[in-house]
């Protein structure tokens, strides 16, 4: 059993089943998640016998690091081995007043957005709770700076891995584990409506929705899941989520693709949409991060600025995401893409 994926309740039951007091689970959680201890022998406030049982039946097993890059601007990126030629990435973005960890939820993704290199890789598998939490465990114990925020914006669609995701979120929030507040944990989704509704009930953390287009016709192309859950349905689900959310707004992510979705007309349609649907929101414009043969180009800076200015004038808080870690490709599945292609070739020639 990998303790990194154990829920506090599961761990309590496990301790009790071995004749231990329930509070042993709290001690274990703290050793593992807060102090980062892998070696049970070091857990000196646990009885010798119990530790021997742990040695036999449990482990603290974070994913293995394949690569570790540090960018000139301090951004750090790890590539983790997921076995069978799969790799995922985790990125830490240090800022003056916080440290944000961008965590992956799947190896690949089924949604297949055409501008996303993860989507272009196809889908390999869901990560387990231990593999999701393992990324945070690793960063927390490797970095000098604390991880104050987690964003589920790495590889994969977190809400299509719901059963493994929610226990991972709960560990991020739990006081005996990582103790992050709900406002500091963000799930980013391409709009998996039934799971957004469930998340509102089960574990309402901050939500970001990848909108990328103001009309169904365009969103059907850019986020193919839109054919299943079109804008009207998506907006209703967001309104419902806002009733439970830890913040009183949601964040719309909007990738800026030159000549595709970045005109002032698109901005006007966007405002019309969120006004008609009465959604309290902020916009986060993401400059397109190019990759080979993507077929898309990044919008020019004046176009990004004009789009942002329009939304701001209409009263919406709008940010343009800073490009960080450019020199280490610290964005959106790129490095993992390279590695995956290489590992696949290796596998094929074996
Ligand atoms: N699957 C989730 C979360 C992961 S992606 C989702 O789609 O929301 C995090 C953000 O990066 C999403 O808004 C996604 O659309 C965006 N993104 C993906 N590829 C990109 C690229 N090449 N350039 C810029 N943003 C990209
Ligand atoms: Fe999947 Fe998100 Fe990439 Fe779309 S943008 S393919 S949902 S990871």
């Amino acid at each position: 059993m990998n303790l990194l994926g154990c829920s506090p309740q599961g761990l309590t039951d496990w301790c009790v089943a071995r004749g231990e007091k329930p509070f042993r689970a709290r001690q274990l959680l703290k050793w593992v998640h807060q102090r980062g201890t892998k070696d049970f022998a070091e857990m000196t406030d646990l009885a010798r016998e119990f530790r021997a049982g742990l040695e036999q039946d449990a482990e603290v097993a974070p994913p293995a690091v394949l690569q570790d890059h540090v960018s000139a601007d301090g951004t750090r990126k790890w590539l983790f081995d997921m076995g069978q030629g799969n790799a995922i990435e985790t990125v830490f973005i240090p800022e003056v007043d916080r440290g944000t960890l961008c965590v992956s939820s799947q190896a690949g993704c089924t949604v297949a957005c055409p501008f996303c290199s993860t989507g272009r890789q196809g889908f390999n598998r869901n990560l387990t709770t231990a593999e999701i939490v393992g990324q945070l465990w690793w960063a927390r114990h490797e970095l000098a700076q604390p991880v104050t925020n987690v964003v589920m914006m790495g590889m994969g669609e977190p809400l299509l891995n719901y059963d493994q995701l929610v226990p991972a979120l709960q560990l991020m929030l739990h006081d005996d584990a990582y103790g992050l507040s709900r406002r500091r944990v963000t799930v980013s989704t391409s709009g998996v409506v039934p799971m957004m509704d469930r998340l509102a009930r089960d574990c309402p953390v901050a939500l970001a929705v990848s909108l990328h287009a103001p009309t169904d016709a365009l969103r059907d192309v850019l986020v193919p899941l839109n054919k299943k859950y079109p804008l009207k349905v998506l907006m209703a689900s967001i309104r419902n989520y806002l009733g439970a959310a830890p913040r009183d707004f949601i964040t719309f992510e909007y990738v800026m693709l030159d000549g595709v979705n970045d005109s002032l007309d698109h901005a006007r349609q966007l405002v019309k949409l969120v006004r008609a649907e009465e959604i309290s929101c902020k916009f986060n414009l993401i400059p397109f991060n190019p990759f080979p043969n993507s077929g898309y180009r990044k919008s020019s800076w004046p176009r990004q600025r004009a789009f942002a200015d329009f939304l701001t004038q209409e009263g919406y808080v709008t940010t343009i995401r800073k490009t960080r870690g450019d020199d280490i490709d610290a964005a959106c599945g790129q490095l993992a893409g390279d590695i995956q292609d290489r590992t696949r070739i290796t596998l094929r020639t074996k």
Side-chain angles (χ1 to χ4, degrees):
M1 178 174 70
N2 187 353
L3 295 188
L4 288 178
C6 265
S7 71
Q9 188 56 50
L11 209 51
T12 307
D13 296 346
W14 192 76
C15 290
V16 170
R18 300 179 152 242
E20 291 291 333
K21 294 268 189 305
F23 73 84
R24 296 286 174 217
R26 294 191 61 189
Q27 287 176 302
L28 258 175
L29 280 171
K30 287 184 177 165
W31 276 113
V32 172
H33 298 290
Q34 294 184 353
R35 291 183 224 174
T37 311
K38 281 202 282 190
D39 184 356
F40 297 117
E42 285 176 29
M43 303 182 181
T44 44
D45 57 359
L46 302 177
R48 202 174 292 251
E49 244 174 68
F50 183 42
R51 277 186 271 155
L54 284 164
E55 298 278 4
Q56 217 159 48
D57 298 336
E59 59 176 350
V60 180
V65 177
L66 286 174
Q67 289 183 9
D68 181 345
H69 295 266
V70 186
S71 158
D73 67 10
T75 303
R76 181 99 174 249
K77 173 163 171 164
W78 295 278
L79 190 75
F80 290 107
D81 186 9
M82 292 290 122
Q84 297 181 321
N86 295 315
I88 55 126
E89 61 188 4
T90 309
V91 179
F92 180 72
I93 305 143
E95 282 170 284
V96 181
D97 54 343
R98 62 182 163 178
T100 304
L101 191 71
C102 180
V103 170
S104 293
S105 56
Q106 300 180 308
C109 183
T110 51
V111 180
C113 305
F115 59 85
C116 170
S117 75
T118 305
R120 292 277 185 98
Q121 285 166 36
F123 176 70
N124 294 300
R125 69 170 176 88
N126 281 326
L127 302 193
T128 63
T129 300
E131 287 166 338
I132 297 171
V133 173
Q135 299 169 61
L136 174 56
W137 185 93
W138 184 268
R140 173 159 172 163
H141 304 300
E142 186 76 5
L143 293 166
Q145 197 182 334
V147 176
T148 60
N149 296 58
V150 170
V151 292
M152 296 301 306
M153 292 185 188
M155 298 170 70
E157 168 48 58
L159 294 186
L160 289 178
N161 185 13
Y162 192 84
D163 292 344
Q164 299 295 321
L165 173 77
V166 169
L169 296 177
Q170 281 162 343
L171 278 168
M172 292 172 194
L173 303 177
H174 201 282
D175 280 343
D176 295 327
Y178 298 91
L180 297 173
S181 86
R182 288 180 189 281
R183 297 161 154 261
R184 289 177 175 271
V185 176
T186 301
V187 168
S188 172
T189 181
S190 54
V192 189
V193 164
M195 297 302 156
M196 288 165 60
D197 297 346
R198 274 181 72 184
L199 193 67
R201 290 194 297 270
D202 295 344
C203 190
V205 292
L207 187 70
V209 174
S210 295
L211 197 56
H212 304 324
T215 61
D216 280 319
L218 185 55
R219 197 163 187 272
D220 280 352
V221 176
L222 295 180
V223 186
L225 193 68
N226 194 69
K227 291 182 213 142
K228 200 161 176 191
Y229 307 115
L231 287 170
K232 194 87 196 151
V233 177
L234 178 63
M235 295 297 156
S237 174
I238 292 171
R239 271 198 307 276
N240 168 64
Y241 198 93
L242 279 167
R247 295 179 183 272
D248 55 8
F249 62 88
I250 81 131
T251 305
F252 282 124
E253 295 161 281
Y254 196 97
V255 64
M256 297 297 286
L257 301 167
D258 185 41
V260 175
N261 66 351
D262 65 343
S263 71
L264 278 181
D265 255 351
H266 291 115
R268 251 175 240 120
Q269 288 172 320
L270 205 51
V271 168
K272 208 171 141 197
L273 171 73
V274 296
R275 279 223 178 107
E277 296 288 343
E278 299 180 344
I279 305 283
S280 152
C281 62
K282 289 186 181 176
F283 289 99
N284 187 11
L285 308 183
I286 316 177
F288 172 61
N289 184 30
F291 55 92
N293 305 318
S294 73
Y296 292 100
R297 285 183 318 266
K298 178 172 155 179
S299 307
S300 67
W301 175 245
R303 266 176 104 86
Q304 292 179 33
R305 207 47 278 163
F307 201 95
D309 287 347
F310 181 84
L311 296 177
T312 308
Q313 278 154 24
E314 291 294 321
Y316 293 95
V317 174
T318 304
T319 46
I320 300 179
R321 188 176 292 174
K322 262 189 281 168
T323 322
R324 298 283 305 259
D326 252 357
D327 50 336
I328 57 167
D329 268 345
C332 308
Q334 301 223 323
L335 184 56
D338 291 352
I339 284 289
Q340 221 176 30
D341 291 345
R342 277 207 292 277
T343 35
R344 277 191 189 148
I345 290 161
T346 324
L347 287 176
R348 243 182 271 136
T349 50
K350 252 185 201 166

